Amino acid sequence: LGQLSPHTRRWRPLGAHDITDMHKAGGDLRAWVELALSGVEREPSPDPANYVTLTWPADTPIGCPTGRWQRLADGRIQATYTRTELAWALVIAGSDNPAVSAKLSTSEAG
């Protein structure tokens, strides 16, 4: 499709193979579409000040940017986000998700 028009772009689901998997994992498809339509670019500048790296518990259902995450030996997930990506990943994961809320509470305390 991208070859047919320069006005198209591929927008991958956060933390999933496709949108069905993202939906099954509890992702907010409306928020994902709104992000795509907002014109926010997912490729930030290379300045390290534009990124934040978090380590999530292994079972945290949160999207991770393609190419900027890894599963650690103990099963936890380490991911590097821009602040915009992190904000949208949290919206898509759902602010009422207990695993995400617990991680954020721990991060703010320490």
Side-chain angles (χ1 to χ4, degrees):
L1 187 59
Q3 296 173 351
L4 299 177
S5 171
H7 303 290
T8 62
R9 64 181 171 166
R10 185 177 199 144
W11 194 264
R12 297 185 186 275
L14 296 173
H17 173 71
D18 57 31
I19 60 171
T20 301
D21 290 344
M22 189 174 97
H23 177 69
K24 287 179 181 178
D28 184 339
L29 297 180
R30 180 180 300 271
W32 178 73
V33 169
E34 287 173 356
L35 174 63
L37 295 176
S38 73
V40 170
E41 291 298 321
R42 290 179 67 180
E43 293 302 322
S45 74
D47 182 354
N50 292 328
Y51 295 91
V52 61
T53 299
L54 296 173
T55 302
W56 299 99
D59 61 346
T60 304
I62 191 146
C64 298
T66 302
R68 286 189 267 128
W69 71 276
Q70 65 178 336
R71 185 162 306 271
L72 303 176
D74 62 3
R76 294 178 301 150
I77 300 166
Q78 186 175 58
T80 301
Y81 301 87
T82 64
R83 295 189 186 285
T84 302
E85 288 170 337
L86 178 57
W88 278 105
L90 294 172
V91 167
I92 292 168
S95 59
D96 59 347
N97 185 300
V100 174
S101 297
K103 173 59 181 170
L104 292 175
S105 296
T106 303
S107 296
E108 291 170 2

